[in-house]
Amino acid sequence: MPNTKGYAAYSPTDEIKPFDFDRREVGANDVKIEIDYCGVCHSDIHTAHNDWGMSQYPVVPGHEILGRVTEVGSEVSQFKKGELVAVGCMVDSCKQCDSCKDGLEQFCPNMVMTYASPDPVMGGVTHGGYATQIVVDSHFVLKVSDKLDIKGVPPLLCAGITTYSPLRHWGIGPGMKVGVIGLGGLGHMGVKFASAMGAHTVMITTSPEKGEDAKRLGAKEVLVSKDPEQMQAHAGSFDFLLNTVPVAHDLNPYMPLLKNEKTMVLLGATPVDLHSMGLVFGRKHIAGSLIGGIKETQEMLDFCAEHNIVSDIEMINIQDINQAWDRVMKGDVKYRFVIDMQSLKD
Amino acid sequence: MPNTKGYAAYSPTDEIKPFDFDRREVGANDVKIEIDYCGVCHSDIHTAHNDWGMSQYPVVPGHEILGRVTEVGSEVSQFKKGELVAVGCMVDSCKQCDSCKDGLEQFCPNMVMTYASPDPVMGGVTHGGYATQIVVDSHFVLKVSDKLDIKGVPPLLCAGITTYSPLRHWGIGPGMKVGVIGLGGLGHMGVKFASAMGAHTVMITTSPEKGEDAKRLGAKEVLVSKDPEQMQAHAGSFDFLLNTVPVAHDLNPYMPLLKNEKTMVLLGATPVDLHSMGLVFGRKHIAGSLIGGIKETQEMLDFCAEHNIVSDIEMINIQDINQAWDRVMKGDVKYRFVIDMQSLKD
């Protein structure tokens, strides 16, 4: 009988259903984790639906994993049984390339994603956190403070690090005006982090009704991007723009908001409309950013413990996952679903 | 009788024709210049044709101006009569804003372009270098070494500084691999400068037949961007890409050429196709760049004198300007037309 219970997509179109499978034996450098909670990311749905054309079935999604250590390998000294730990979007990398040496495992050409990546140990593809347990190389296991409200921790492992990493990389802090474009799972973490880092944080949204919530999350101002007068009033005033919009959109209206020489970072994986004029006048930049390395992810979790930051979440049972996905696709969640994995064990 | 002879566009559709007009009196800080040569830039044609929708007629184009000082104002000590000087794309700015103080006059909100800009002294719009003389604030007058082949100097004032500035700003030098995309007026200067700065310079073009010329200009390699195998062989190897393509095009095939964290700079004013994935994986950048400040333009001219760099040009008389414009629009010039202004004085 397989050692692990999970939920999987068996095809791009079916609902996801129970799926039992085997995790590997605990190797010398491995940590086995009993999963308590797993966050629901839009990437889970894209992969299950084969939107990126690379999925192998069954797909067991989930890369926002929180749980307790149940076993450690013979070479593992930094974790002990019962400890609260987390796993994010990566479970392995080559550890030898320049990216790995620089703590940027996310750019390692042989990085292994937590799910739907070729599995170098078990063959087939890796299986994610919609499951009762997982076995992971200890380098990719993060420590989580018991001080946090742990139910809101899982989304930090993807939505959290994805927004924290560019804010840190571009040196966001006091005296800077930062715009967060789009208020979803990523955007709401971006507002929390930029505010906690001391920046004057502005929520930039097409939906004025999101303003109140943005202010509760830490935004000092709300800028409605459909209002040309408001956009003009903020022209040339931003030190940084964090664009969390996950669907095709026009970047051109946002470029005049930036000060000269400053950067808008794109986090979504999507086509965008762009005219170079918005970059040429003022030597402005557009860049991309993808999660963060393991060292930075630990730093982010420690920052969250220090500033008491977690994700706003809605808790569900695994049996409700298909309805939850429908709501994610409609943007109907504030701001992230988390699965209580006890529901899979009962 | 007006004090200056010139050539002007009287409408978006007519050929350009003779036009006499008055330059202002020489003010205390002004320099009067008899124009010997003026380069032909594609922007001249865009403005004459009102492609950007802002032109006021008559338009006297020309912002690649070389000539000799004939008179200086009472406060001007740095120039003297008979001296070889140049004027580029700018003739005035506020001199007080942060951009001006930083030597980035090109980003001053009140910067006055050499032609087709509201003229703060004479009213109407400024008139450019397709003319016998010009009167310019001394801050915007550049010194030119007599050592250079001066017929090739005028294009340095636009095509030259436009490519020199980003190469300097991004610190191009020995040990770096630089790709120049597009071999026209800008591209041929980009290849010369990147090579002179010591970079391993690669010409990236859709036209294999341009390879030989690119190597003559200083390129060490030629990469044909339509060839997927060649593109794959160069993947992840470039420290910098200088994109000189002036028309709408797809940026996505070029992004994989860059190393992680590196930048492609756009010099053209054009819509582009872009998918954020090319930026997200590897935290890559796209930026824009616009000519350069006055201090940097002088530095560029001094660099050219030191390294014996001028533009490859084809000399014409002013009476041939309409045919020359037709050829510019077809890309049929190696690599820049320069007008011998003696033809306007005879």
Side-chain angles (χ1 to χ4, degrees), chain B residues 196-216:
Chain B
M197 290 172 188
H200 180 91
T201 305
V202 180
M203 180 75 239
I204 304 174
T205 176
T206 53
S207 315
E209 68 278 10
K210 292 188 175 176
E212 199 176 323
D213 221 25
K215 287 191 173 172
R216 180 182 61 78

Side-chain angles (χ1 to χ4, degrees), chain A residues 117-174:
Chain A
S117 229
D119 187 325
V121 180
M122 297 288 277
V125 293
T126 53
H127 291 323
Y130 290 17
T132 50
Q133 60 172 5
I134 191 167
V135 178
V136 179
D137 182 305
S138 62
H139 179 72
F140 293 86
V141 179
L142 291 309
K143 289 177 182 282
V144 177
S145 168
D146 274 305
K147 288 191 292 184
L148 287 166
D149 177 359
I150 62 170
K151 295 178 181 179
V153 166
L156 300 177
L157 279 300
C158 176
I161 186 62
T162 298
T163 49
Y164 179 92
S165 178
L167 292 168
R168 272 290 185 242
H169 184 73
W170 272 270
I172 301 312

Side-chain angles (χ1 to χ4, degrees), chain B residues 250-307:
Chain B
D250 185 357
L251 301 184
N252 296 305
Y254 301 111
M255 300 315 298
L257 295 176
L258 284 172
K259 292 179 183 173
N260 290 350
E261 318 267 357
K262 300 302 182 187
T263 300
M264 170 159 68
V265 165
L266 308 181
L267 301 180
T270 175
V272 289
D273 289 332
L274 180 65
H275 194 293
S276 65
M277 291 291 260
L279 300 171
V280 164
F281 288 95
R283 198 156 56 193
K284 295 175 182 178
H285 297 232
I286 293 173
S289 187
L290 175 74
I291 53 173
I294 290 298
K295 187 179 166 204
E296 193 174 51
T297 305
Q298 187 62 61
E299 180 195 307
M300 179 272 304
L301 288 167
D302 297 345
F303 181 90
C304 288
E306 187 186 338
H307 293 269

Side-chain angles (χ1 to χ4, degrees), chain A residues 99 104 106-107 165 169-170 251 260-261 266-277 279-290 296, chain B residues 99 104 106-107 165 169-170 251 260-261 266-277 279-290 296:
Chain A
S99 292
L104 297 165
Q106 72 271 33
F107 301 139
S165 178
H169 184 73
W170 272 270
L251 300 184
N260 290 350
E261 319 267 358
L266 309 181
L267 302 180
T270 174
V272 289
D273 288 332
L274 180 66
H275 194 292
S276 64
M277 291 291 259
L279 300 171
V280 164
F281 287 96
R283 198 156 57 193
K284 295 175 182 178
H285 297 231
I286 292 173
S289 187
L290 175 74
E296 193 175 50
Chain B
S99 292
L104 297 166
Q106 72 270 33
F107 301 139
S165 178
H169 184 73
W170 273 269
L251 301 184
N260 290 350
E261 318 267 357
L266 308 181
L267 301 180
T270 175
V272 289
D273 289 332
L274 180 65
H275 194 293
S276 65
M277 291 291 260
L279 300 171
V280 164
F281 288 95
R283 198 156 56 193
K284 295 175 182 178
H285 297 232
I286 293 173
S289 187
L290 175 74
E296 193 174 51

